[in-house]
Amino acid sequence: MTTPIITSPKAGLVDVADARPRFRPWRWVVGVLLALVVVQLAIFFITNPRFEWDVVAEYLFHPSVLLGLMMSLVLTAVGMILGSLLGTALAAGQLSDFAPVRWACIAFVGVFRGVPPLVQLIFWYNLAYVLPKIAVGVPFGPELFAWNTNDVITPLTAAIIGLSLHESAYMAEIIRAGITSVDQGQRDAGKAMGFSPWHTFSRVILPQAMRVIIPPTGSQVIGLLKGTSLVSVIAMGDLLHSVQVIYNRTYEVVPMLIVAVIWYLVVVTLLTLVQRRVESHFSRGLSRDTRTRRTVQRLEVAE
């Protein structure tokens, strides 16, 4: 492997890295047009009285809206944690050399990726129709414990089950893709150095796989947050359901939907910032500045 040689520019010579960018008039034209569109949209939203911004301001921090926002965040966190744990197990199962386990995991992922989350939520909420009683016992033998399905499957449990299973199928594919993206030579190198399988996975494979896993996982978190709005169809008190209850009473549909949109945008923006920071953390070894700094450090040490 050759090491790039970095030297300081000689006296009297111009470094091309410091050259002035070329003037491109079409970029200025496009920039001005975009600015005009933004100003026009801003004037439309601000001056249109039908948006009723006074109502938006009145309900933006309403207790029921904040409670619905909190429930959406809780569903996102629980769905993501359970989905990631189950997705990790499913990814490991898909990579297993034991065919029955591999086929079962592939079938599970295929089913729950193929069924829309809204259909899942409605199915789990009406589970009592096909399974009136949930029982635990010996197969083809006596029951040890039994519960009424309607007592177990509440709107909250139906939402958690539906969102977690849907999320686990996608996380399984993301994690599997991240693990398989690491070159087989890395595993062979770990074995050659005497690492245990877990040590090889946690110290060699996983850090490299995270660069592939993190970006789609961040998108999954944002998608799941927005997907929690589906639970309003089973009367779960999320953010969308909270504003629906208010505008069903006051008939102020548009301003209440704007309240929901504002909160979704705020949370999604914060999650995006966190995702960028995490991506930067796991990609810090690949940035040009880091590689250049490390090369300079090696040259300084060599001197």
Side-chain angles (χ1 to χ4, degrees):
M1 178 179 178
T2 59
T3 302
I5 299 176
I6 299 178
T7 58
S8 59
K10 296 180 179 179
L13 298 179
V14 178
D15 190 348
V16 294
D18 299 329
R20 179 182 299 177
R22 187 178 61 180
F23 178 71
R24 296 173 178 173
W26 284 111
R27 289 191 175 186
W28 285 91
V29 173
V30 173
V32 171
L33 291 177
L34 287 176
L36 290 176
V37 171
V38 171
V39 171
Q40 188 68 38
L41 287 175
I43 293 174
F44 171 74
F45 282 110
I46 294 173
T47 60
N48 193 329
R50 296 185 180 182
F51 286 110
E52 301 182 70
W53 291 107
D54 56 331
V55 178
V56 174
E58 178 184 354
Y59 285 100
L60 188 60
F61 296 98
H62 193 276
S64 63
V65 173
L66 296 180
L67 190 61
L69 173 64
M70 186 60 65
M71 180 54 68
S72 293
L73 294 175
V74 169
L75 288 176
T76 303
V78 174
M80 200 64 208
I81 293 172
L82 295 179
S84 298
L85 293 175
L86 183 56
T88 303
L90 290 170
Q94 290 186 91
L95 297 173
S96 172
D97 55 359
F98 186 48
V101 172
R102 185 171 66 252
W103 295 338
C105 293
I106 292 174
F108 182 98
V109 171
V111 169
F112 285 98
R113 283 182 72 193
V115 180
L118 178 59
V119 176
Q120 289 192 49
L121 290 173
I122 297 175
F123 174 80
W124 292 114
Y125 187 59
N126 295 279
L127 183 64
Y129 179 75
V130 295
L131 187 64
K133 183 175 62 176
I134 298 175
V136 176
V138 179
F140 306 104
E143 296 178 355
L144 301 178
F145 306 99
W147 301 272
N148 188 308
T149 303
N150 282 325
D151 295 336
V152 176
I153 305 299
T154 63
L156 177 61
T157 53
I160 291 175
I161 293 173
L163 294 175
S164 300
L165 293 178
H166 176 75
E167 198 60 32
S168 66
Y170 282 90
M171 286 304 301
E173 289 300 278
I174 292 172
I175 295 171
R176 184 183 63 82
I179 293 174
T180 55
S181 68
V182 180
D183 189 78
Q184 180 62 35
Q186 300 292 317
R187 298 174 175 81
D188 297 337
K191 291 180 181 178
M193 297 182 68
F195 291 171
S196 64
W198 169 249
H199 198 180
T200 301
F201 177 78
S202 61
R203 296 296 182 89
V204 179
I205 305 301
L206 187 60
Q208 299 180 68
M210 289 300 286
R211 288 197 297 269
V212 178
I213 293 174
I214 289 298
T217 300
S219 298
Q220 283 299 116
V221 175
I222 293 173
L224 182 58
L225 171 68
K226 294 184 291 185
T228 58
S229 62
L230 297 175
V231 304
S232 61
V233 299
I234 57 175
M236 188 67 206
D238 73 312
L239 176 58
L240 180 60
H241 185 265
S242 300
V243 300
Q244 285 176 336
V245 170
I246 295 175
Y247 72 60
N248 285 336
R249 186 180 69 247
T250 63
Y251 300 104
E252 295 164 327
V253 178
V254 172
M256 293 312 303
L257 289 179
I258 292 176
V259 169
V261 168
I262 290 174
W263 279 120
Y264 279 125
L265 289 177
V266 168
V267 177
V268 168
T269 302
L270 294 176
L271 290 175
T272 302
L273 294 175
V274 173
Q275 176 190 346
R276 298 289 173 82
R277 292 296 301 271
V278 175
E279 286 181 22
S280 175
H281 172 76
F282 283 100
S283 301
R284 62 186 186 279
L286 295 179
S287 67
R288 178 180 297 177
D289 294 340
T290 303
R291 290 201 303 268
T292 304
R293 185 170 63 254
R294 289 179 177 177
T295 302
V296 171
Q297 290 174 350
R298 286 199 298 268
L299 291 174
E300 291 176 350
V301 171
E303 292 175 353

